[in-house]
């Protein structure tokens, strides 16, 4: 069950008449407990309570008590030896009137409320459903409840008004929902002169059978769109006249309202009864946007970006700088004033803003700084000088764009209440500003200068579509009157294979005319590209959360080279971290934050919250020069050649499963012609396969005489002849062989071509003389064992991930990038001997767990201790060869590797040279 489903279940429970005996089970059921679990509890089999209640091990001890005994019962539950023995996390007591509960694992305040109100605290109990909550989820209880209710209303309205769900009317539907949310908020915050005014007028004026609900709401909306002086002439009914003039675009245009069924009306009244003061615009928007998205509705209330993650972008981009200026200003009135003026001209622009969470957080943080300035200047109730219109966004989808605007309006009001008091907040709030700076459109096709000209700037040329009306941007008559612009956000990431035709077209348009291989680019590259172009004119800094793939692999060369050559620099970066929602089901992706500017000055690299100042950050997000690692056909260090396995396309007849192998042996095929065949899956998962292996130029007679062999070889020949590829047709001349016939004489060291990113090391194996490798693996034929130590090291893994890149989330290994470019210092005989011993220890540790496969052995959660220790020793020995000690972290590893790579690549006569890019 997800949080929204749980909320619905416990709300339904609270609405039912209280049944003392049934309550504990109904409560547990609402949190997803299965009927069988409840049955065992009821029978007493698994109920460990010593107080006549219900005690579920590791979870909760619940007791229903006599009226007035709730607090005493909760104390008894807390002190109960059974609670401790069963390691119950929660205790809960209720008499059906009062409800008290405590989380024994935290210092958080206990819950104490009326029974009817306990659903408002459902976030407190989410761990009961295995939902790992962080404080913020608990604090989002209201937002989840409101999301769930609005969702029900939305779905119900669409049922009754199918036309409103069509493309033509979706906007009307979304706009209607945004108006409703505003009204719910306004009626609970005095904006509508009295608590619950909106809901109670609808309840009073609309018939119970709901036939005129839409008309009543429409009249209310009309009133909010009519100035008070014009109402009499407009014929606004008396009962709607008490509502203020709101407009600001929110209530202009059609006041058409969908028709309400009885159920929809009752949902609406129910939503109105929630306490909308508690709405949190930071996250509410991201939660609610799923309501209008048929695909996302299943995960309602679960997908939103946490505030700490948003601050990972905003703080280094500009908020830290503002805070530092505040600190330096101390109580100096002039310096404080300058900072306030500076902030009033700052534009924050999110060109993929969703429901505006980055903008809302930026706004709230800036208001907090401004409030502190005003406090120090003894101007505490001064009106804000930070205009909401300085927070701009582009969003493709209609509903999030509506909600983004609303979230900003709510944030403004809440900040005014916090910093200036309710009275002042109310005085300035209405009517809303009519300008709407959240543009609903495709950011990769819009002219960003038109959407977000820097403050105080006149831009003569406007265009809706850069591509239909090409602009020579540097020609725009542009004056920046001192305002700064910061571009931020979390634009969509989509690998090339996942992009729609339109998205591919967006990317093509972005990069048309530029000599780069854009076809392999992730969709997010479009945002970096557009932001970079925008920053050329405006000097804007920008930072995006991005898939880490844009800082890995070969794209670095094609994507980053032109950007960096054009005067852009990476000013700060957060190396890979898990981007997760706070709720469960968190589809975690590994992301980076990349901040860019065109200004000189220090650069900062963040690794696990450690901030490091560095002279330069390269596009691999490593301190150092802008070096681009390119494929090398031979090892650049003194390492033996690593070869891709034998290409086995159009060779099906040469491959054998167990049955085929036994059959051919029974028919007299000499065993020497059958070899073990190990590609990626066979190496890692222990799958068994074989192949026919005839190194002789012609098929030997003792094989050719066996009819099954002849049939197989003929099938291979025919498949090759049928290919449109000339090289394949040529291969038909020797159908008994693979395209390559590489083999070892003693043994091979092998690496699969793809490997799970969660493994702590690359799965490198030592294979005996018998094994043949297809092109899903790489092999060092007859490689000395010290090579296995190097290939299985952390250094090699880190280098590989960085320079080879990924296939979806898996590491895509490449010999020409991962091995041939790996910088390894010259190794002495002693170094090699030490590394050989380390490799032997790794192999022995694996052997000790026979028959565990490589996949078993390197599962991150269950890697055997002795194997882990053998790898640690290996890393220790190898890293000492590099710097005389262990590296502190991956950043330090990469820094050293890039330093060595730069030197190695610059050495004459090397196969490949690093390309240094001139940066301005
Ligand atoms: C990863 S979400 C981030 C939204 C929000 N900042 C958050 O954290 O929830 C990316 C947003 O970009 C929007 N988007 C996708 N393609 C777009 C385009 N071409 N132009 C503008 N917005 C787009 C999506 O609708 C989505 O709301």
């Amino acid at each position: 069950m997800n949080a929204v489903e749980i909320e619905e279940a416990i709300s339904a429970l609270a609405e039912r008449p209280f049944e003392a005996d049934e309550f504990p089970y109904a409560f547990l059921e609402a949190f997803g407990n299965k009927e069988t679990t409840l049955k065992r509890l009821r029978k007493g089999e698994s109920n460990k309570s010593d107080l006549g209640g219900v005690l579920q091990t590791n979870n909760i001890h619940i007791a229903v008590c006599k009226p007035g005994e709730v607090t005493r019962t909760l104390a008894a539950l807390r002190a109960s030896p059974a609670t401790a023995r069963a390691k119950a996390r929660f205790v809960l007591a209720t008499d059906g009137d009062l409800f008290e509960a405590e989380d024994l694992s935290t210092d958080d305040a206990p819950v104490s409320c009326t029974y009817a109100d306990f659903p408002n605290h459902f976030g407190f109990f989410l761990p009961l459903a295995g939902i790992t909550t962080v404080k913020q989820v608990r604090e989002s209880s209201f937002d989840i409840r409101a999301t769930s209710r609005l969702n029900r209303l939305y779905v119900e309205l669409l049922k009754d008004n199918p036309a409103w769900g069509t493309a033509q009317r979706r906007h009307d539907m979304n706009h209607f929902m945004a108006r409703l949310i505003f009204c719910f908020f306004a009626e609970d915050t005095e904006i509508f002169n009295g608590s619950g005014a909106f809901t109670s007028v609808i309840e009073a004026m609309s018939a119970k059978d709901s036939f005129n609900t839409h008309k009543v709401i429409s009249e209310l909306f009309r009133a909010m769109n009519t100035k008070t002086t014009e109402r009499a002439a407009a014929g606004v009914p008396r009962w709607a006249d008490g509502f203020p003039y709101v407009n600001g675009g929110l209530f202009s245009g059609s006041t058409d309202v969908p028709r309400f069924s009885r159920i929809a009306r009752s949902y609406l009244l129910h939503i109105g009864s929630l306490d909308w003061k508690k709405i949190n615009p930071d996250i509410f928007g991201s939660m609610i946007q799923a309501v209008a998205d048929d695909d996302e509705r299943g995960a309602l209330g679960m997908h939103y970006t946490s505030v700490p993650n948003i601050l990972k972008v905003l703080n280094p981009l500009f908020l830290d700088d503002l805070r530092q200026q505040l600190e330096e200003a101390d109580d100096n009135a002039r310096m404080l004033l300058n900072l306030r003026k500076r902030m009033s001209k700052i534009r924050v622009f999110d060109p993929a803003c969703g429901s505006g969470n980055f903008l809302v957080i930026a706004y709230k943080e800036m208001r907090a700084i401004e409030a502190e300035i005003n406090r120090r200047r003894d101007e505490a109730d001064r009106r804000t000088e930070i205009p909401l219109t300085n927070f701009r966004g582009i969003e493709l989808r209609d509903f999030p764009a509506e909600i983004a605007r609303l979230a900003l309006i709510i944030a403004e009001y809440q900040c005014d209440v916090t910093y200036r008091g309710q009275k002042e907040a109310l005085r300035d709030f209405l009517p809303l500003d009519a300008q709407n700076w959240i543009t609903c459109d495709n950011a990769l096709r819009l002219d960003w200068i038109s959407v977000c000209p820097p403050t105080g700037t006149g831009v003569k040329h406007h265009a809706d579509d850069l591509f239909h009306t090409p602009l020579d941007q540097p020609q725009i008559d542009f004056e920046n009157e001192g305002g700064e612009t910061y571009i931020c956000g979390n634009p969509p990431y989509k690998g090339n294979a996942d992009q729609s035709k339109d998205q591919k077209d967006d990317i093509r348009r972005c990069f048309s005319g530029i000599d780069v291989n854009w076809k392999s680019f992730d969709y997010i590259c479009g945002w970096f590209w557009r932001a970079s172009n925008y920053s050329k004119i405006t000097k804007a800094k920008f930072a995006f959360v991005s898939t880490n793939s844009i800082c890995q692999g070969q794209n670095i060369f094609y994507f980053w080279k032109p950007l960096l050559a054009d005067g852009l620099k990476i000013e700060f970066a957060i190396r890979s971290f898990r981007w997760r929602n706070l709720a469960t089901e968190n589809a975690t992706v590994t992301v980076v934050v990349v901040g860019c500017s065109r200004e000189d000055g220090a650069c900062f690299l963040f690794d696990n919250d450690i901030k490091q100042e560095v002279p330069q950050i390269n596009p691999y997000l490593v301190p150092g020069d802008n070096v681009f690692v390119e494929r090398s056909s031979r090892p650049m260090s003194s390492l033996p050649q690593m070869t891709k396995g034998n290409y086995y396309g159009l060779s099906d007849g040469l491959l054998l499963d167990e049955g085929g192998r036994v059959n051919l042996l029974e028919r007299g095929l000499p065993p020497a012609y059958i070899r073990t065949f190990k590609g990626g899956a066979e190496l890692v998962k222990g799958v068994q396969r074989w192949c026919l292996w005839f190194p002789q130029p012609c098929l030997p007679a003792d094989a050719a005489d066996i009819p099954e062999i002849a049939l197989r070889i003929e099938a291979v020949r025919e498949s090759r002849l049928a290919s449109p590829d000339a090289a394949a047709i040529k291969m038909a001349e020797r159908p008994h062989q693979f395209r390559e016939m590489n083999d070892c004489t003693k043994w091979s060291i092998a690496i699969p071509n793809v490997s799970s990113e969660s493994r702590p090391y690359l799965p490198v194996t030592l294979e005996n003389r018998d094994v043949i490798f297809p092109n899903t693996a790489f092999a060092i034929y007859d490689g000395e064992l010290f090579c296995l130590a190097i290939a299985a090291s952390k250094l090699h893994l880190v280098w590989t991930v960085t320079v080879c890149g990924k296939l979806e989330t898996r590491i895509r290994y490449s010999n020409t990038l991962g091995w041939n470019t790996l910088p390894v210092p010259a190794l002495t005989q002693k170094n090699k001997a030490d590394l050989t011993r380390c490799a032997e220890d790794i192999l022995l540790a694996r052997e000790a767990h026979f028959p565990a496969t490589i996949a078993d052995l390197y599962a991150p959660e269950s890697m055997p201790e002795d194997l882990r220790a053998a790898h640690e020793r290996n890393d220790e020995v190898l890293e000492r060869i590099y710097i005389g000690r262990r590296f502190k972290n991956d950043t330090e590893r990469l820094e050293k590797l890039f330093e060595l790579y730069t030197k190695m690549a610059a050495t004459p006569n090397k196969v490949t040279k690093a390309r240094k890019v001139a940066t301005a």
Side-chain angles (χ1 to χ4, degrees):
M1 278 174 103
N2 71 30
V4 168
E5 288 161 343
I6 292 167
E7 190 280 327
E8 282 178 3
I10 64 166
S11 294
L13 170 63
E15 280 162 20
R16 291 204 299 264
F18 180 71
E19 284 181 54
D21 292 346
E22 217 13 64
F23 171 79
Y25 306 107
F27 185 85
L28 290 172
E29 191 182 2
F31 282 90
N33 280 281
K34 300 240 164 58
E35 196 43 52
T36 42
T37 314
L38 297 176
K39 220 182 236 169
R40 293 185 60 221
L41 276 171
R42 277 179 207 277
K43 278 194 193 157
E45 287 169 17
S46 55
N47 182 2
K48 305 272 164 49
S49 179
D50 53 356
L51 295 172
V54 174
L55 170 53
Q56 191 178 37
T57 305
N58 291 327
N59 264 346
I60 189 164
H61 198 172
I62 306 174
V64 176
C65 54
K66 290 202 192 98
E69 303 234 324
V70 172
T71 305
R72 198 192 58 73
T73 307
L74 192 75
L77 288 167
R78 198 186 301 119
S80 133
T83 301
R85 259 197 316 276
K87 298 200 179 83
R89 176 167 174 175
F90 293 94
V91 286
L92 185 169
T94 183
D95 56 4
D97 199 20
L98 200 69
F99 180 102
E100 289 190 5
E102 197 170 326
D103 180 347
L104 302 175
S105 73
T106 68
D107 293 333
D108 291 352
V111 168
S112 178
C113 59
T114 61
Y115 179 80
D117 195 35
F118 88 79
N120 278 327
H121 300 274
F122 83 98
F124 187 82
F125 298 105
L126 282 177
L128 284 177
I131 296 182
T132 43
T133 59
V134 218
K135 218 166 147 237
Q136 210 183 333
V137 168
R138 296 183 174 203
E139 289 165 1
S140 323
S141 295
F142 172 82
D143 303 284
I144 296 179
R145 295 199 87 192
T147 299
S148 138
R149 298 297 149 87
L150 286 166
N151 180 55
R152 277 201 256 171
L153 177 62
Y154 195 94
V155 172
E156 192 63 30
L157 286 174
L158 285 188
K159 232 195 274 168
D160 299 331
N161 304 270
W164 286 66
T166 60
Q168 292 89 333
R169 296 226 71 183
R170 265 288 163 134
H171 173 74
D172 293 340
M173 181 68 188
N174 295 339
H175 197 58
F176 168 70
M177 290 301 282
R179 285 173 175 173
L180 272 191
I181 294 167
F182 175 84
C183 292
F184 291 134
F185 176 70
E187 70 175 348
D188 285 349
T189 43
E190 303 286 317
I191 295 169
F192 281 173
N193 320 317
S195 162
F198 178 70
T199 310
S200 46
V201 168
I202 296 174
E203 187 166 22
M205 299 309 301
S206 68
K208 283 215 167 59
D209 68 3
S210 77
F211 86 96
N212 65 344
T213 311
H214 62 293
K215 288 194 183 138
V216 171
I217 298 175
S218 179
E219 281 302 326
L220 290 176
F221 287 173
R222 195 159 71 87
M224 292 176 215
N225 190 29
T226 311
K227 291 193 177 128
T228 34
T229 49
E230 296 164 9
R231 288 198 176 168
V236 169
R238 193 186 296 269
W239 48 265
D241 202 21
F243 288 85
Y245 172 60
V246 179
N247 198 342
L250 194 58
F251 290 92
S252 62
S254 162
T255 48
D256 214 7
V257 169
R259 296 186 79 93
F260 276 62
S261 64
R262 255 170 197 275
I263 299 175
R265 179 177 177 274
S266 89
Y267 282 163
L268 179 105
L269 300 181
H270 201 95
I271 299 170
S273 72
L274 296 177
D275 182 3
W276 282 81
K277 270 199 298 295
K278 293 185 188 157
I279 189 172
N280 180 359
D282 310 354
I283 55 168
F284 175 71
S286 313
M287 282 188 184
I288 181 87
Q289 59 175 295
V291 162
D293 194 316
D294 300 338
D295 296 336
E296 275 188 39
R297 209 173 281 134
L300 204 63
M302 306 302 279
H303 288 177
Y304 62 93
T305 304
S306 73
V307 176
N309 273 350
I310 293 173
L311 287 174
K312 281 188 174 138
V313 178
L314 298 179
N315 281 343
L317 181 63
F318 71 106
L319 290 175
D320 281 345
D321 187 48
L322 297 180
R323 290 190 199 108
Q324 193 184 334
Q325 206 179 331
L326 178 69
E327 196 178 319
E328 284 164 8
D330 198 8
D331 282 333
N332 181 313
R334 166 77 25 209
M335 286 167 82
L336 290 168
L337 186 65
N338 285 343
L339 176 56
R340 194 166 72 198
K341 281 191 182 148
R342 178 186 167 198
M343 287 204 299
S344 71
K345 288 190 187 168
I346 286 179
R347 281 266 157 84
V348 184
F349 175 37
D350 180 348
C353 69
S355 45
N357 49 1
F358 280 69
L359 299 175
V360 166
I361 302 293
Y363 178 77
K364 284 170 70 165
E365 294 292 321
M366 285 173 69
R367 285 293 302 267
I369 296 170
E370 187 190 45
E372 179 57 20
I373 294 174
N374 291 347
R375 192 192 61 77
R376 291 188 199 173
R377 283 177 52 90
D378 286 332
E379 296 168 328
D381 53 5
R382 195 185 159 86
R383 208 182 156 161
T384 181
E385 288 177 21
I386 300 174
L388 214 51
T389 48
N390 275 357
F391 296 77
R392 306 206 168 185
I394 305 176
E395 167 55 43
L396 189 64
R397 291 177 300 156
D398 186 70
F399 190 52
E402 288 280 349
I403 297 296
R405 179 164 187 238
L406 192 60
L408 280 167
I409 293 171
I410 291 174
E412 183 185 41
Y413 180 80
Q414 288 181 338
C415 286
D416 278 345
V417 172
T418 306
Y419 300 122
R420 303 175 60 220
Q422 173 98 344
K423 223 168 103 204
E424 293 298 316
L426 281 173
R427 190 163 53 210
D428 297 331
F429 191 62
L430 293 178
L432 299 177
D433 190 328
Q435 299 180 78
N436 179 9
W437 285 109
I438 306 296
T439 306
C440 182
D441 214 323
N442 183 337
L444 296 189
R445 299 195 181 200
L446 271 191
D447 170 14
W448 289 11
I449 291 284
S450 295
V451 176
C452 184
T455 41
T457 300
V459 179
K460 281 191 176 163
H461 198 154
H462 285 241
D464 285 342
D465 182 332
L466 253 188
F467 303 98
H468 295 145
T469 333
L471 289 182
D472 188 357
Q473 294 209 324
Q475 303 292 312
I476 293 173
D477 183 11
F478 175 82
E479 297 160 49
N480 187 347
E481 293 168 8
E484 300 155 52
T485 302
Y486 296 99
I487 305 175
C488 58
N490 178 17
Y493 355 112
K494 259 191 181 178
N496 175 265
D498 296 329
Q499 288 164 21
S500 67
K501 201 173 147 295
D502 283 352
Q503 288 169 332
K504 280 191 206 302
D505 205 40
D506 291 344
I507 290 290
R508 182 185 62 73
R509 284 158 179 262
C510 278
F511 294 96
S512 69
I514 294 144
D515 183 23
V516 292
N517 180 12
W518 52 265
K519 283 191 180 151
S520 59
F521 287 179
D522 190 284
Y523 195 40
I524 198 175
C525 292
W527 273 262
F528 276 93
W529 187 256
R530 298 297 302 274
S532 171
N533 286 344
Y534 179 92
S535 77
K536 259 198 270 183
I537 309 165
T538 60
K539 304 276 179 290
K541 290 188 184 188
F542 60 92
F544 294 126
V545 182
S546 167
T547 156
N548 59 359
S549 71
I550 67 153
C551 293
Q552 292 169 346
Q554 280 296 272
N555 272 342
I556 297 255
F557 181 74
Y558 297 116
F559 175 59
W560 282 105
K561 189 182 171 196
L563 284 179
L564 298 175
D566 198 24
L568 196 72
K569 78 165 194 195
I570 299 180
E571 188 172 271
F572 72 89
I574 305 182
R575 292 177 52 79
S576 295
F577 64 102
R578 296 275 184 185
W579 182 266
R580 66 178 79 208
N581 298 306
L582 292 172
T584 45
E585 300 177 16
N586 36 35
T588 52
V589 278
T590 307
V591 299
V592 290
V593 172
V594 185
C596 299
S597 88
R598 293 180 179 273
E599 282 175 17
D600 293 335
C603 299
F604 296 95
L605 202 56
F606 296 81
D607 214 340
N608 287 327
D609 291 335
I610 296 167
K611 182 176 175 182
Q612 184 192 359
E613 182 172 338
V614 293
Q616 196 173 345
I617 299 171
N618 75 22
Y620 298 90
L621 306 189
V622 173
D625 293 344
N626 288 328
V627 173
F628 298 87
V629 179
E630 288 185 74
R631 291 185 189 282
S632 170
S633 57
R634 281 187 284 133
M636 295 167 76
S637 305
S638 296
L639 293 174
Q641 190 78 22
M642 180 188 285
T643 312
K644 194 167 196 169
N646 304 305
Y647 177 72
Y648 73 111
L650 302 177
S651 305
D652 285 358
L654 303 182
L655 306 182
L656 303 172
D657 58 15
E658 173 66 2
R661 182 181 77 99
V662 172
N663 179 32
L664 290 178
L665 289 175
E666 280 172 3
R667 282 173 208 267
L669 183 72
Y673 296 139
I674 297 182
R675 301 280 290 268
T676 304
F677 187 76
K678 285 196 178 182
E682 290 78 15
L683 288 170
V684 173
K685 296 183 190 149
V687 177
Q688 288 214 308
R689 265 215 292 184
W690 294 266
C691 66
L692 294 171
W693 187 253
F694 304 110
Q696 304 81 343
C698 297
L699 186 63
D702 51 354
D705 288 348
I706 299 173
E708 278 81 358
I709 292 286
L711 278 174
R712 281 173 170 270
I713 303 297
E714 182 52 21
V716 172
R717 200 179 72 83
E718 279 172 12
S719 71
R720 292 178 184 179
L721 283 176
S723 166
D725 176 9
I729 294 170
K730 180 97 182 108
M731 274 169 57
E733 291 170 11
R734 48 182 186 91
H736 63 298
Q737 292 189 330
F738 295 105
R739 188 177 72 190
E740 295 91 25
M741 292 295 287
N742 294 319
D743 191 7
C744 65
T745 53
K746 291 184 292 185
W747 63 64
S748 309
I749 295 167
I751 304 187
N753 65 344
V754 286
S755 169
S756 158
E757 69 170 343
S758 63
R759 288 195 188 109
Y761 295 95
L762 285 172
V764 185
T765 64
L766 182 70
E767 302 296 336
N768 66 31
R769 162 88 187 85
D770 176 53
V771 177
I772 296 298
F773 302 98
N775 56 336
T776 52
F778 294 89
I780 305 172
Y781 295 110
D782 302 311
E784 291 179 66
L785 265 194
F786 79 87
C787 298
L788 188 144
I790 293 172
S793 69
K794 182 143 240 123
L795 271 168
H796 185 219
L797 173 76
V798 171
W799 182 252
T800 296
V801 169
T802 307
V803 305
C804 292
K806 300 245 179 81
L807 187 65
E808 289 140 14
T809 56
R810 291 169 301 158
I811 299 167
R812 178 184 10 208
Y813 193 73
S814 148
N815 56 342
T816 52
L817 276 169
W819 184 251
N820 292 352
T821 66
L822 179 72
V824 180
L827 298 175
T828 63
Q829 282 311 317
K830 163 116 180 39
N831 293 152
K832 289 184 183 174
D834 290 346
L835 289 170
T836 300
R837 206 164 39 250
C838 290
E840 285 165 354
D841 286 348
I842 290 173
L843 295 172
L844 284 171
R846 288 183 192 165
E847 199 60 30
H849 298 277
F850 181 83
T853 63
I854 288 287
D856 300 333
L857 290 169
Y858 286 85
E861 307 301 314
S862 54
M863 186 170 170
E865 262 324 300
D866 52 348
L867 181 58
R868 202 182 284 277
H871 272 282
E872 284 289 329
R873 275 197 305 280
N874 182 45
D875 286 336
E876 167 103 34
V877 168
L878 183 62
E879 293 183 9
R880 278 184 182 281
I881 294 172
Y882 279 77
I883 56 165
R885 61 167 170 81
R886 285 300 298 264
F887 288 101
K888 287 193 217 108
N889 50 35
D890 287 349
T891 306
E892 203 187 18
R893 283 186 182 94
L894 285 168
E895 204 174 340
K896 185 69 191 174
L897 289 172
F898 273 101
E899 179 200 313
L900 291 177
Y901 177 83
T902 309
K903 284 191 195 137
M904 199 167 72
T907 312
N909 303 326
K910 283 286 173 191
V911 183
T912 304
K913 288 203 170 85
R915 301 189 193 181
K916 269 194 139 198
V917 172
T919 48

